[in-house]
Tab-separated table of all heavy atoms in Angstrom:
chain	number	residue	atom	x	y	z
A	1	MET	N	7.086	-5.099	-25.439
A	1	MET	CA	7.287	-6.355	-24.698
A	1	MET	C	6.268	-7.397	-25.161
A	1	MET	O	5.143	-7.075	-25.485
A	1	MET	CB	7.115	-6.114	-23.194
A	1	MET	CG	8.215	-5.254	-22.587
A	1	MET	SD	9.771	-6.115	-22.459
A	1	MET	CE	9.443	-7.195	-21.049
A	2	ALA	N	6.710	-8.622	-25.144
A	2	ALA	CA	5.819	-9.728	-25.483
A	2	ALA	C	6.430	-10.997	-24.913
A	2	ALA	O	7.610	-11.019	-24.570
A	2	ALA	CB	5.675	-9.860	-26.992
A	3	TYR	N	5.591	-12.000	-24.799
A	3	TYR	CA	6.112	-13.307	-24.396
A	3	TYR	C	6.587	-14.045	-25.645
A	3	TYR	O	6.044	-13.850	-26.746
A	3	TYR	CB	5.032	-14.118	-23.700
A	3	TYR	CG	4.951	-13.851	-22.209
A	3	TYR	CD1	4.395	-12.670	-21.722
A	3	TYR	CD2	5.447	-14.772	-21.294
A	3	TYR	CE1	4.326	-12.415	-20.358
A	3	TYR	CE2	5.379	-14.525	-19.922
A	3	TYR	CZ	4.826	-13.352	-19.465
A	3	TYR	OH	4.760	-13.102	-18.113
A	4	VAL	N	7.580	-14.880	-25.471
A	4	VAL	CA	8.031	-15.741	-26.554
A	4	VAL	C	8.081	-17.172	-26.013
A	4	VAL	O	8.293	-17.379	-24.812
A	4	VAL	CB	9.425	-15.349	-27.091
A	4	VAL	CG1	9.397	-13.982	-27.752
A	4	VAL	CG2	10.462	-15.372	-25.980
A	5	ILE	N	7.865	-18.148	-26.872
A	5	ILE	CA	7.886	-19.554	-26.464
A	5	ILE	C	9.238	-20.154	-26.833
A	5	ILE	O	9.654	-20.122	-27.991
A	5	ILE	CB	6.716	-20.316	-27.116
A	5	ILE	CG1	5.384	-19.792	-26.550
A	5	ILE	CG2	6.854	-21.819	-26.880
A	5	ILE	CD1	4.145	-20.373	-27.203
A	6	SER	N	9.896	-20.682	-25.826
A	6	SER	CA	11.241	-21.236	-26.034
A	6	SER	C	11.180	-22.631	-26.657
A	6	SER	O	10.109	-23.230	-26.804
A	6	SER	CB	11.983	-21.314	-24.694
A	6	SER	OG	11.510	-22.428	-23.956
A	7	ASP	N	12.345	-23.169	-26.969
A	7	ASP	CA	12.440	-24.501	-27.555
A	7	ASP	C	12.061	-25.599	-26.559
A	7	ASP	O	11.989	-26.769	-26.928
A	7	ASP	CB	13.859	-24.751	-28.076
A	7	ASP	CG	14.162	-23.915	-29.314
A	7	ASP	OD1	13.214	-23.380	-29.919
A	7	ASP	OD2	15.356	-23.793	-29.677
A	8	ASP	N	11.810	-25.231	-25.302
A	8	ASP	CA	11.375	-26.218	-24.312
A	8	ASP	C	9.944	-26.682	-24.580
A	8	ASP	O	9.505	-27.686	-24.032
A	8	ASP	CB	11.433	-25.617	-22.904
A	8	ASP	CG	12.860	-25.386	-22.428
A	8	ASP	OD1	13.781	-26.001	-22.997
A	8	ASP	OD2	13.051	-24.594	-21.484
A	9	CYS	N	9.213	-25.953	-25.426
A	9	CYS	CA	7.816	-26.281	-25.731
A	9	CYS	C	7.679	-27.711	-26.243
A	9	CYS	O	8.423	-28.141	-27.115
A	9	CYS	CB	7.284	-25.301	-26.784
A	9	CYS	SG	5.623	-25.689	-27.376
A	10	ILE	N	6.686	-28.426	-25.667
A	10	ILE	CA	6.429	-29.806	-26.085
A	10	ILE	C	5.134	-29.895	-26.917
A	10	ILE	O	4.585	-30.983	-27.106
A	10	ILE	CB	6.348	-30.754	-24.869
A	10	ILE	CG1	5.294	-30.264	-23.858
A	10	ILE	CG2	7.717	-30.855	-24.186
A	10	ILE	CD1	5.030	-31.248	-22.713
A	11	SER	N	4.655	-28.739	-27.386
A	11	SER	CA	3.478	-28.678	-28.262
A	11	SER	C	2.242	-29.351	-27.669
A	11	SER	O	1.505	-30.040	-28.374
A	11	SER	CB	3.801	-29.301	-29.637
A	11	SER	OG	4.759	-28.503	-30.321
A	12	CYS	N	2.008	-29.115	-26.374
A	12	CYS	CA	0.829	-29.723	-25.750
A	12	CYS	C	-0.449	-28.962	-26.106
A	12	CYS	O	-1.540	-29.502	-26.015
A	12	CYS	CB	0.999	-29.756	-24.228
A	12	CYS	SG	0.862	-28.138	-23.425
A	13	GLY	N	-0.308	-27.677	-26.461
A	13	GLY	CA	-1.461	-26.890	-26.875
A	13	GLY	C	-2.227	-26.211	-25.760
A	13	GLY	O	-3.189	-25.491	-26.022
A	14	ALA	N	-1.838	-26.416	-24.522
A	14	ALA	CA	-2.585	-25.855	-23.386
A	14	ALA	C	-2.659	-24.333	-23.421
A	14	ALA	O	-3.677	-23.748	-23.074
A	14	ALA	CB	-1.949	-26.315	-22.077
A	15	CYS	N	-1.612	-23.701	-23.849
A	15	CYS	CA	-1.567	-22.232	-23.818
A	15	CYS	C	-2.486	-21.588	-24.851
A	15	CYS	O	-3.000	-20.491	-24.635
A	15	CYS	CB	-0.144	-21.753	-24.049
A	15	CYS	SG	0.588	-22.356	-25.589
A	16	GLU	N	-2.690	-22.257	-25.954
A	16	GLU	CA	-3.447	-21.649	-27.061
A	16	GLU	C	-4.839	-21.205	-26.614
A	16	GLU	O	-5.288	-20.102	-26.929
A	16	GLU	CB	-3.543	-22.632	-28.225
A	16	GLU	CG	-4.194	-22.021	-29.461
A	16	GLU	CD	-4.203	-22.976	-30.655
A	16	GLU	OE1	-3.926	-24.176	-30.483
A	16	GLU	OE2	-4.480	-22.500	-31.774
A	17	ALA	N	-5.527	-22.049	-25.855
A	17	ALA	CA	-6.885	-21.735	-25.423
A	17	ALA	C	-6.923	-20.663	-24.339
A	17	ALA	O	-7.960	-20.034	-24.121
A	17	ALA	CB	-7.569	-22.998	-24.915
A	18	GLU	N	-5.829	-20.454	-23.644
A	18	GLU	CA	-5.781	-19.489	-22.545
A	18	GLU	C	-5.554	-18.059	-23.015
A	18	GLU	O	-5.862	-17.101	-22.307
A	18	GLU	CB	-4.663	-19.860	-21.567
A	18	GLU	CG	-4.889	-21.163	-20.830
A	18	GLU	CD	-6.163	-21.141	-19.993
A	18	GLU	OE1	-6.415	-20.123	-19.326
A	18	GLU	OE2	-6.903	-22.136	-20.028
A	19	CYS	N	-5.022	-17.889	-24.191
A	19	CYS	CA	-4.667	-16.549	-24.649
A	19	CYS	C	-5.917	-15.729	-24.985
A	19	CYS	O	-6.703	-16.126	-25.841
A	19	CYS	CB	-3.755	-16.628	-25.867
A	19	CYS	SG	-3.250	-14.991	-26.450
A	20	PRO	N	-6.114	-14.590	-24.323
A	20	PRO	CA	-7.326	-13.781	-24.524
A	20	PRO	C	-7.409	-13.122	-25.905
A	20	PRO	O	-8.487	-12.682	-26.309
A	20	PRO	CB	-7.235	-12.725	-23.414
A	20	PRO	CG	-5.782	-12.612	-23.119
A	20	PRO	CD	-5.222	-14.003	-23.304
A	21	VAL	N	-6.305	-13.054	-26.590
A	21	VAL	CA	-6.326	-12.400	-27.908
A	21	VAL	C	-5.937	-13.367	-29.029
A	21	VAL	O	-5.639	-12.948	-30.149
A	21	VAL	CB	-5.418	-11.150	-27.925
A	21	VAL	CG1	-5.991	-10.058	-27.028
A	21	VAL	CG2	-3.984	-11.492	-27.511
A	22	SER	N	-5.940	-14.661	-28.725
A	22	SER	CA	-5.622	-15.688	-29.729
A	22	SER	C	-4.311	-15.410	-30.470
A	22	SER	O	-4.240	-15.532	-31.695
A	22	SER	CB	-6.768	-15.830	-30.729
A	22	SER	OG	-7.958	-16.194	-30.069
A	23	ALA	N	-3.298	-15.044	-29.700
A	23	ALA	CA	-2.003	-14.727	-30.301
A	23	ALA	C	-1.109	-15.955	-30.461
A	23	ALA	O	-0.032	-15.863	-31.036
A	23	ALA	CB	-1.288	-13.675	-29.447
A	24	ILE	N	-1.576	-17.103	-29.942
A	24	ILE	CA	-0.755	-18.312	-29.964
A	24	ILE	C	-1.259	-19.291	-31.009
A	24	ILE	O	-2.458	-19.541	-31.115
A	24	ILE	CB	-0.750	-18.992	-28.580
A	24	ILE	CG1	-0.300	-17.989	-27.503
A	24	ILE	CG2	0.165	-20.218	-28.589
A	24	ILE	CD1	-0.404	-18.535	-26.078
A	25	SER	N	-0.332	-19.834	-31.786
A	25	SER	CA	-0.702	-20.830	-32.790
A	25	SER	C	0.383	-21.893	-32.867
A	25	SER	O	1.509	-21.699	-32.397
A	25	SER	CB	-0.893	-20.173	-34.155
A	25	SER	OG	0.299	-19.513	-34.550
A	26	GLU	N	0.024	-23.016	-33.460
A	26	GLU	CA	0.976	-24.111	-33.566
A	26	GLU	C	1.975	-23.802	-34.674
A	26	GLU	O	1.600	-23.486	-35.803
A	26	GLU	CB	0.254	-25.426	-33.856
A	26	GLU	CG	1.192	-26.633	-33.778
A	26	GLU	CD	0.425	-27.953	-33.788
A	26	GLU	OE1	-0.793	-27.942	-34.037
A	26	GLU	OE2	1.071	-28.989	-33.543
A	27	GLY	N	3.246	-23.899	-34.332
A	27	GLY	CA	4.292	-23.654	-35.318
A	27	GLY	C	5.025	-24.926	-35.679
A	27	GLY	O	4.523	-26.027	-35.433
A	28	ASP	N	6.188	-24.784	-36.201
A	28	ASP	CA	6.980	-25.923	-36.647
A	28	ASP	C	7.776	-26.491	-35.477
A	28	ASP	O	8.837	-25.982	-35.132
A	28	ASP	CB	7.920	-25.457	-37.773
A	28	ASP	CG	8.647	-26.628	-38.428
A	28	ASP	OD1	8.221	-27.778	-38.231
A	28	ASP	OD2	9.647	-26.378	-39.123
A	29	GLY	N	7.237	-27.530	-34.836
A	29	GLY	CA	7.926	-28.166	-33.726
A	29	GLY	C	7.650	-27.547	-32.371
A	29	GLY	O	8.029	-28.099	-31.351
A	30	LYS	N	7.023	-26.396	-32.350
A	30	LYS	CA	6.639	-25.763	-31.087
A	30	LYS	C	5.543	-24.748	-31.379
A	30	LYS	O	5.293	-24.410	-32.534
A	30	LYS	CB	7.841	-25.075	-30.423
A	30	LYS	CG	8.385	-23.890	-31.211
A	30	LYS	CD	9.464	-23.148	-30.400
A	30	LYS	CE	9.871	-21.857	-31.091
A	30	LYS	NZ	10.792	-21.053	-30.285
A	31	TYR	N	4.904	-24.260	-30.302
A	31	TYR	CA	3.903	-23.217	-30.474
A	31	TYR	C	4.596	-21.857	-30.529
A	31	TYR	O	5.688	-21.690	-29.993
A	31	TYR	CB	2.869	-23.283	-29.341
A	31	TYR	CG	1.747	-24.266	-29.641
A	31	TYR	CD1	2.039	-25.617	-29.849
A	31	TYR	CD2	0.433	-23.858	-29.752
A	31	TYR	CE1	1.032	-26.525	-30.151
A	31	TYR	CE2	-0.585	-24.764	-30.045
A	31	TYR	CZ	-0.282	-26.089	-30.249
A	31	TYR	OH	-1.279	-26.980	-30.555
A	32	VAL	N	3.937	-20.914	-31.193
A	32	VAL	CA	4.549	-19.602	-31.361
A	32	VAL	C	3.562	-18.499	-30.970
A	32	VAL	O	2.340	-18.675	-31.056
A	32	VAL	CB	5.023	-19.378	-32.819
A	32	VAL	CG1	6.177	-20.303	-33.159
A	32	VAL	CG2	3.885	-19.564	-33.801
A	33	ILE	N	4.102	-17.363	-30.550
A	33	ILE	CA	3.298	-16.210	-30.150
A	33	ILE	C	3.505	-15.078	-31.152
A	33	ILE	O	4.635	-14.746	-31.501
A	33	ILE	CB	3.697	-15.728	-28.740
A	33	ILE	CG1	3.328	-16.783	-27.698
A	33	ILE	CG2	3.041	-14.386	-28.416
A	33	ILE	CD1	3.885	-16.506	-26.307
A	34	ASN	N	2.395	-14.503	-31.595
A	34	ASN	CA	2.459	-13.336	-32.464
A	34	ASN	C	2.750	-12.121	-31.574
A	34	ASN	O	1.893	-11.665	-30.823
A	34	ASN	CB	1.136	-13.156	-33.210
A	34	ASN	CG	1.164	-11.975	-34.173
A	34	ASN	OD1	1.875	-10.996	-33.954
A	34	ASN	ND2	0.399	-12.073	-35.233
A	35	ALA	N	3.946	-11.598	-31.660
A	35	ALA	CA	4.375	-10.501	-30.785
A	35	ALA	C	3.554	-9.236	-30.977
A	35	ALA	O	3.424	-8.423	-30.054
A	35	ALA	CB	5.853	-10.203	-31.028
A	36	ASP	N	2.980	-9.059	-32.145
A	36	ASP	CA	2.179	-7.860	-32.406
A	36	ASP	C	0.828	-7.918	-31.702
A	36	ASP	O	0.185	-6.886	-31.494
A	36	ASP	CB	1.956	-7.688	-33.911
A	36	ASP	CG	3.244	-7.351	-34.647
A	36	ASP	OD1	4.135	-6.745	-34.017
A	36	ASP	OD2	3.358	-7.696	-35.835
A	37	GLU	N	0.377	-9.133	-31.346
A	37	GLU	CA	-0.917	-9.292	-30.703
A	37	GLU	C	-0.809	-9.521	-29.198
A	37	GLU	O	-1.748	-9.261	-28.461
A	37	GLU	CB	-1.678	-10.469	-31.339
A	37	GLU	CG	-2.031	-10.237	-32.800
A	37	GLU	CD	-2.634	-11.478	-33.467
A	37	GLU	OE1	-2.667	-12.552	-32.833
A	37	GLU	OE2	-3.061	-11.355	-34.615
A	38	CYS	N	0.330	-10.013	-28.750
A	38	CYS	CA	0.506	-10.370	-27.335
A	38	CYS	C	0.354	-9.153	-26.423
A	38	CYS	O	0.942	-8.104	-26.666
A	38	CYS	CB	1.883	-10.985	-27.137
A	38	CYS	SG	2.245	-11.402	-25.413
A	39	LEU	N	-0.460	-9.339	-25.347
A	39	LEU	CA	-0.731	-8.269	-24.390
A	39	LEU	C	0.161	-8.369	-23.162
A	39	LEU	O	0.017	-7.595	-22.218
A	39	LEU	CB	-2.201	-8.345	-23.933
A	39	LEU	CG	-3.284	-8.245	-25.006
A	39	LEU	CD1	-4.651	-8.431	-24.368
A	39	LEU	CD2	-3.202	-6.902	-25.713
A	40	ASP	N	1.051	-9.385	-23.153
A	40	ASP	CA	1.957	-9.527	-22.023
A	40	ASP	C	1.227	-9.900	-20.731
A	40	ASP	O	1.659	-9.515	-19.651
A	40	ASP	CB	2.698	-8.190	-21.812
A	40	ASP	CG	4.190	-8.388	-21.624
A	40	ASP	OD1	4.707	-9.424	-22.069
A	40	ASP	OD2	4.824	-7.516	-21.027
A	41	CYS	N	0.101	-10.621	-20.851
A	41	CYS	CA	-0.699	-10.915	-19.662
A	41	CYS	C	-0.144	-12.056	-18.821
A	41	CYS	O	-0.448	-12.167	-17.641
A	41	CYS	CB	-2.133	-11.246	-20.069
A	41	CYS	SG	-2.326	-12.860	-20.860
A	42	GLY	N	0.629	-12.947	-19.447
A	42	GLY	CA	1.241	-14.040	-18.703
A	42	GLY	C	0.387	-15.274	-18.535
A	42	GLY	O	0.815	-16.245	-17.899
A	43	ALA	N	-0.826	-15.280	-19.083
A	43	ALA	CA	-1.719	-16.433	-18.928
A	43	ALA	C	-1.109	-17.706	-19.513
A	43	ALA	O	-1.247	-18.795	-18.948
A	43	ALA	CB	-3.059	-16.150	-19.594
A	44	CYS	N	-0.420	-17.579	-20.616
A	44	CYS	CA	0.195	-18.754	-21.255
A	44	CYS	C	1.270	-19.361	-20.349
A	44	CYS	O	1.349	-20.580	-20.195
A	44	CYS	CB	0.784	-18.379	-22.606
A	44	CYS	SG	1.873	-16.935	-22.596
A	45	ALA	N	2.053	-18.507	-19.735
A	45	ALA	CA	3.109	-18.985	-18.845
A	45	ALA	C	2.508	-19.705	-17.642
A	45	ALA	O	3.083	-20.668	-17.128
A	45	ALA	CB	3.978	-17.818	-18.396
A	46	GLY	N	1.315	-19.243	-17.218
A	46	GLY	CA	0.674	-19.823	-16.052
A	46	GLY	C	0.179	-21.242	-16.255
A	46	GLY	O	0.065	-21.997	-15.296
A	47	VAL	N	-0.119	-21.613	-17.488
A	47	VAL	CA	-0.650	-22.961	-17.736
A	47	VAL	C	0.385	-23.902	-18.340
A	47	VAL	O	0.170	-25.108	-18.394
A	47	VAL	CB	-1.888	-22.933	-18.660
A	47	VAL	CG1	-3.025	-22.170	-18.000
A	47	VAL	CG2	-1.554	-22.361	-20.020
A	48	CYS	N	1.500	-23.385	-18.791
A	48	CYS	CA	2.486	-24.243	-19.460
A	48	CYS	C	3.175	-25.194	-18.487
A	48	CYS	O	3.711	-24.760	-17.467
A	48	CYS	CB	3.547	-23.369	-20.145
A	48	CYS	SG	4.782	-24.364	-21.010
A	49	PRO	N	3.172	-26.499	-18.796
A	49	PRO	CA	3.770	-27.489	-17.892
A	49	PRO	C	5.299	-27.456	-17.877
A	49	PRO	O	5.914	-28.031	-16.972
A	49	PRO	CB	3.255	-28.837	-18.439
A	49	PRO	CG	3.019	-28.578	-19.894
A	49	PRO	CD	2.527	-27.154	-19.958
A	50	VAL	N	5.891	-26.806	-18.847
A	50	VAL	CA	7.363	-26.819	-18.902
A	50	VAL	C	7.979	-25.411	-18.855
A	50	VAL	O	9.183	-25.243	-19.055
A	50	VAL	CB	7.867	-27.553	-20.186
A	50	VAL	CG1	7.476	-29.021	-20.137
A	50	VAL	CG2	7.341	-26.899	-21.451
A	51	GLY	N	7.145	-24.395	-18.591
A	51	GLY	CA	7.685	-23.047	-18.465
A	51	GLY	C	8.281	-22.473	-19.735
A	51	GLY	O	9.211	-21.669	-19.677
A	52	ALA	N	7.715	-22.875	-20.868
A	52	ALA	CA	8.298	-22.424	-22.142
A	52	ALA	C	8.022	-20.957	-22.496
A	52	ALA	O	8.883	-20.308	-23.071
A	52	ALA	CB	7.830	-23.343	-23.260
A	53	PRO	N	6.835	-20.410	-22.149
A	53	PRO	CA	6.627	-18.989	-22.485
A	53	PRO	C	7.415	-18.103	-21.506
A	53	PRO	O	7.251	-18.191	-20.290
A	53	PRO	CB	5.109	-18.798	-22.289
A	53	PRO	CG	4.528	-20.182	-22.282
A	53	PRO	CD	5.601	-21.026	-21.657
A	54	VAL	N	8.256	-17.266	-22.051
A	54	VAL	CA	9.065	-16.380	-21.209
A	54	VAL	C	8.952	-14.956	-21.727
A	54	VAL	O	8.749	-14.722	-22.917
A	54	VAL	CB	10.541	-16.816	-21.191
A	54	VAL	CG1	10.711	-18.135	-20.451
A	54	VAL	CG2	11.103	-16.935	-22.598
A	55	GLN	N	9.105	-14.016	-20.807
A	55	GLN	CA	9.020	-12.610	-21.185
A	55	GLN	C	10.294	-12.207	-21.915
A	55	GLN	O	11.391	-12.453	-21.436
A	55	GLN	CB	8.815	-11.753	-19.943
A	55	GLN	CG	7.859	-10.621	-20.140
A	55	GLN	CD	7.342	-10.068	-18.825
A	55	GLN	OE1	7.840	-10.408	-17.767
A	55	GLN	NE2	6.329	-9.245	-18.893
A	56	GLU	N	10.118	-11.581	-23.053
A	56	GLU	CA	11.280	-11.214	-23.868
A	56	GLU	C	11.943	-9.969	-23.306
A	56	GLU	O	11.280	-9.099	-22.790
A	56	GLU	CB	10.821	-10.937	-25.308
A	56	GLU	CG	11.922	-11.103	-26.317
A	56	GLU	CD	11.361	-11.060	-27.743
A	56	GLU	OE1	10.413	-10.310	-28.004
A	56	GLU	OE2	11.895	-11.800	-28.575
B	1	SF4	FE1	-1.502	-14.440	-25.042
B	1	SF4	FE2	-1.090	-13.338	-22.655
B	1	SF4	FE3	0.550	-15.256	-23.523
B	1	SF4	FE4	0.611	-12.857	-24.677
B	1	SF4	S1	1.194	-13.330	-22.525
B	1	SF4	S2	0.588	-14.834	-25.745
B	1	SF4	S3	-1.557	-12.243	-24.561
B	1	SF4	S4	-1.650	-15.493	-23.042
B	2	SF4	FE1	4.215	-25.377	-25.569
B	2	SF4	FE2	3.824	-24.745	-23.013
B	2	SF4	FE3	2.106	-23.911	-24.875
B	2	SF4	FE4	2.202	-26.493	-24.200
B	2	SF4	S1	1.553	-24.787	-22.869
B	2	SF4	S2	2.087	-25.663	-26.320
B	2	SF4	S3	4.403	-26.770	-23.812
B	2	SF4	S4	4.275	-23.315	-24.668
């Protein structure tokens, strides 16, 4: 299991600093989560203004 960032992402960057394992980085048009590093903690979803990180 891992979180994934949907196309609703507005690239605000808020989630990147919240991730305890630095699994989030800026991608092409949206931020992306490295599924191999994600701990499924939900911190990114908690700070996202548009609810883009969702559990896969
Ligand atoms: Fe990082 Fe947690 Fe979000 Fe996974 S669920 S990307 S570990 S903040
Ligand atoms: Fe995208 Fe939400 Fe992360 Fe902002 S907090 S970069 S809108 S996923």
Side-chain angles (χ1 to χ4, degrees):
M1 292 288 285
Y3 273 74
V4 294
I5 293 175
S6 77
D7 289 345
D8 290 341
C9 174
I10 55 173
S11 293
C12 72
C15 56
E16 186 176 12
E18 294 300 317
C19 181
V21 292
S22 300
I24 305 174
S25 59
E26 188 168 10
D28 188 16
K30 66 173 188 174
Y31 274 60
V32 293
I33 293 170
N34 182 331
D36 292 332
E37 295 173 354
C38 177
L39 301 176
D40 227 23
C41 73
C44 51
V47 297
C48 181
V50 295
V54 291
Q55 219 162 10
E56 203 170 36

